[in-house]
Amino acid sequence: MACCKKKAGCGMGELENRGNHFQETDFPEKRDYEKELIQIIKSGSPPQAIRKKLEDYHENDLASVWEELTKEERIKLYKLLGNDTVSEIFSYMEADISTYLEELGLENAADILESMDADDAVDILDEMEDEKSDQLIRLMDAESRHDIGLIQSYEDDEIGSKMTTNFILIKRGLAIPEAMKELVAQAAENDNISTIYVEDQDGSFYGALDLKDLIIARRYVALEDLVTTSYPYVYAKETIDECIEDLKDYSEDSIPVLDNDKKILGVITAQDIVEVVDDEMGEDYAKLAGLTAEEDLNEPLLESMKKRIPWLVVLLVLGLVVSSVVGIFEQIVSQLTIVVCFQSLILGMAGNAGTQSLAVTIRVLMDENVEGGQQLRLMFKEMRVGMVNGCLIGIISVVFIGIYICLMRGKPLGFAFAVSGCIGFSLMSAMVISSIMGTVIPMFFHKIKIDPAVASGPLITTVNDLTAVLIYYGMTWLLLINLMHLAE
């Protein structure tokens, strides 16, 4: 028995060692699809052999190597792959593809854009010069021109500008076989078929059903029994800010976009939702950095300057106000010059506390379900957090700054800790007020229907600088000079 136990123990230890070895082992190396594609395209094999091999790769991988190909190689691939595949490749490209469209010629470029989803085509056309864009649109068929014109008719901040017209729509009241026949007919042009939308006899949106439910349904089952009539939807004229939370809350493949008469115009797909959320986050991040909009790497110098200059001018004016306030306390500084050394400490910590509160507040305000009472609780919470953090930072400052002034500056112990005590108390007060400012200012913007992200980090920091200067030098004047009569 002892021997058996020993063997069992050895077995467990061996398994344990194998487990550790498995955890330490790197994952197997992944295939380098881009390298493989380059080799295939440049191999010099017969065109049909190249096409056959390329069919095994995803269009996104082809898009990633497109720029590495020569113009001659790309022109060969345009003919070899066909419009549908090339349009898919272009839809995955993030860079400006106007150069590639020029390689195709106007008529072929128009054919490629016709093959794309209307929303992808609009994204490409919007990046082009108006004259070239109009030329391409005129060469397209009537249906493509209609779909592109529909999407372009909405403002950039309206959800209709983000929708696609690639969806399946059937009439209410069809039998199951009729619905299947209609699905097959529309699927030739629209491949977004996982959710099927149903309209009423008057053309208004009625509901939606899953493709799976339609496929497995018996012939005798009524179509209406499969339709979800309470399916979520948005209106095309709604702003993205108004409906972004609703879109995020539903885990559907797509959500219909309706006009004011409740007729379905298009759909927002899950991919569209991800892009919209990403764009919104990018814009909010830009605003927090004191920009008027998000920049990209290829943006012209003047465009980047236009986005930054407005806030920089505002911050310059506020900075001059802060400097003017410091000038008011010039007499205090002349009597107790050591306090100037710690001005940046007070201003920096106040700015940090305000920016932290700002980030938390904007994140909470993004949830439209947050009510007034909850916003008030948030303000008091941030006040408490600022006070507790301020007390801790203040105590640490009193001790270490007092020791620093005493040892490094050679000042008497009483003088050193009087100054550090004033600094600590000023720190605590400035951090509490900055936390409140970082909460109240974005709430105020939100209340008057202005994007709270415009209460950007630089703005909050500058406002808090002004507050911190008043607190710090005010405390110095009151406590150190008037009450304790300290002067150097």
Side-chain angles (χ1 to χ4, degrees):
M1 290 297 293
C3 182
C4 290
K5 286 182 180 179
K6 186 176 181 181
K7 285 184 178 180
C10 289
M12 290 298 291
E14 186 178 342
L15 286 173
E16 195 173 309
N17 289 334
R18 287 179 183 176
N20 292 335
H21 176 71
F22 178 76
Q23 290 176 353
E24 292 171 2
T25 303
D26 292 334
F27 289 109
E29 186 177 353
K30 291 184 178 180
R31 288 171 57 186
D32 188 341
Y33 293 134
E34 294 182 19
K35 184 178 179 181
E36 292 175 14
L37 282 166
I38 293 292
Q39 289 175 345
I40 291 169
I41 294 168
K42 295 181 180 291
S43 65
S45 301
Q48 292 307 316
I50 292 176
R51 178 178 179 175
K52 184 69 176 174
K53 291 179 180 178
L54 294 181
E55 287 174 354
D56 292 334
Y57 292 85
H58 197 279
E59 288 81 0
N60 183 54
D61 295 316
L62 280 162
S64 65
V65 302
W66 213 252
E67 191 175 352
E68 299 179 38
L69 305 177
T70 64
K71 179 180 178 180
E72 291 72 22
E73 289 168 339
R74 288 195 295 265
I75 290 173
K76 288 179 182 178
L77 288 176
Y78 294 139
K79 298 176 182 177
L80 190 63
L81 297 175
N83 289 349
D84 289 340
T85 302
V86 173
S87 66
E88 284 289 326
I89 292 169
F90 282 2
S91 67
Y92 281 103
M93 289 185 184
E94 295 182 2
D96 181 13
I97 67 168
S98 57
T99 303
Y100 306 136
L101 291 176
E102 288 176 5
E103 293 173 353
L104 286 160
L106 278 176
E107 290 190 6
N108 288 332
D111 291 340
I112 293 293
L113 292 174
E114 279 180 12
S115 301
M116 300 177 72
D117 287 349
D119 57 328
D120 291 329
V122 167
D123 289 340
I124 292 170
L125 291 167
D126 285 347
E127 295 294 325
M128 302 176 69
E129 295 179 1
D130 291 341
E131 184 180 349
K132 190 67 172 291
S133 174
D134 291 340
Q135 285 180 328
L136 288 169
I137 291 173
R138 284 196 295 270
L139 291 170
M140 296 181 194
D141 58 40
E143 183 180 356
S144 296
R145 289 200 303 271
H146 172 269
D147 291 345
I148 288 170
L150 175 65
I151 295 173
Q152 287 183 327
S153 68
Y154 295 99
E155 299 294 334
D156 288 342
D157 64 341
E158 293 175 339
I159 200 65
S161 67
K162 306 299 181 183
M163 68 182 179
T164 178
T165 55
N166 180 355
F167 64 97
I168 304 293
L169 181 65
I170 62 175
K171 283 283 186 183
R172 177 188 178 188
L174 295 179
I176 295 296
E178 293 173 326
M180 283 296 298
K181 185 177 179 181
E182 186 65 27
L183 167 64
V184 172
Q186 293 186 40
E189 296 294 330
N190 302 294
D191 57 5
N192 186 21
I193 64 173
S194 58
T195 301
I196 301 161
Y197 297 99
V198 184
E199 63 178 353
D200 216 330
Q201 298 305 323
D202 63 356
S204 61
F205 176 64
Y206 179 69
L209 69 148
D210 287 337
L211 173 63
K212 180 190 71 173
D213 294 336
L214 181 60
I215 291 173
I216 65 176
R218 302 292 184 181
R219 294 174 63 89
Y220 55 80
V221 174
L223 181 68
E224 290 194 23
D225 293 342
L226 306 177
V227 178
T228 302
T229 56
S230 58
Y231 200 83
Y233 59 87
V234 293
Y235 289 108
K237 283 287 186 181
E238 283 187 83
T239 64
I240 294 171
D241 287 341
E242 289 172 343
C243 60
I244 190 68
E245 289 301 321
D246 290 337
L247 292 173
K248 285 162 59 180
D249 288 342
Y250 294 102
S251 58
E252 301 294 342
D253 292 332
S254 58
I255 294 177
V257 180
L258 312 183
D259 64 12
N260 291 344
D261 296 323
K262 289 205 168 181
K263 289 182 171 60
I264 184 168
L265 300 173
V267 298
I268 294 289
T269 65
Q271 182 182 352
D272 294 329
I273 293 171
V274 170
E275 290 175 357
V276 167
V277 172
D278 183 58
D279 289 344
E280 286 296 293
M281 290 176 65
E283 288 176 9
D284 286 347
Y285 179 80
K287 290 170 184 175
L288 284 169
L291 306 175
T292 55
E294 190 177 6
E295 296 182 23
D296 81 51
L297 293 173
N298 300 317
E299 189 171 64
L301 175 64
L302 287 177
E303 286 299 315
S304 294
M305 288 176 62
K306 285 178 185 178
K307 292 177 181 178
R308 301 186 187 201
I309 283 293
W311 273 112
L312 289 175
V313 171
V314 172
L315 295 173
L316 173 63
V317 173
L318 289 173
L320 290 172
V321 173
V322 174
S323 299
S324 300
V325 171
V326 173
I328 294 172
F329 295 102
E330 187 176 352
Q331 188 177 358
I332 295 170
V333 172
S334 64
Q335 295 180 57
L336 201 61
T337 55
I338 195 171
V339 296
V340 177
C341 301
F342 304 98
Q343 174 183 304
S344 59
L345 173 66
I346 304 291
L347 270 57
M349 292 304 298
N352 293 338
T355 304
Q356 287 177 342
S357 294
L358 171 67
V360 172
T361 304
I362 289 180
R363 179 65 187 88
V364 171
L365 291 177
M366 285 175 67
D367 185 354
E368 294 183 356
N369 298 320
V370 176
E371 299 175 352
Q374 292 173 305
Q375 292 180 8
L376 198 60
R377 286 202 299 274
L378 172 65
M379 186 180 72
F380 284 116
K381 178 200 167 188
E382 288 302 315
M383 189 188 302
R384 292 196 305 272
V385 170
M387 183 171 291
V388 173
N389 286 343
C391 286
L392 290 174
I393 296 296
I395 291 168
I396 293 170
S397 300
V398 169
V399 174
F400 284 96
I401 293 176
I403 294 171
Y404 167 79
I405 294 173
C406 184
L407 297 180
M408 305 301 293
R409 304 298 292 268
K411 300 293 182 181
L413 194 63
F415 177 92
F417 279 93
V419 172
S420 68
C422 179
I423 292 169
F425 189 75
S426 299
L427 262 177
M428 183 190 71
S429 303
M431 288 180 69
V432 171
I433 294 174
S434 296
S435 297
I436 296 171
M437 297 282 280
T439 306
V440 171
I441 289 178
M443 281 185 178
F444 170 74
F445 277 98
H446 184 69
K447 193 72 174 177
I448 61 175
K449 307 298 182 185
I450 295 177
D451 188 349
V454 301
S456 59
L459 174 61
I460 289 288
T461 301
T462 308
V463 171
N464 285 339
D465 282 351
L466 181 60
T467 307
V469 162
L470 288 169
I471 291 172
Y472 181 43
Y473 287 114
M475 291 291 181
T476 300
W477 173 77
L478 181 65
L479 298 177
L480 298 183
I481 294 179
N482 279 0
L483 291 180
M484 303 183 71
H485 305 291
L486 297 180
E488 292 178 314

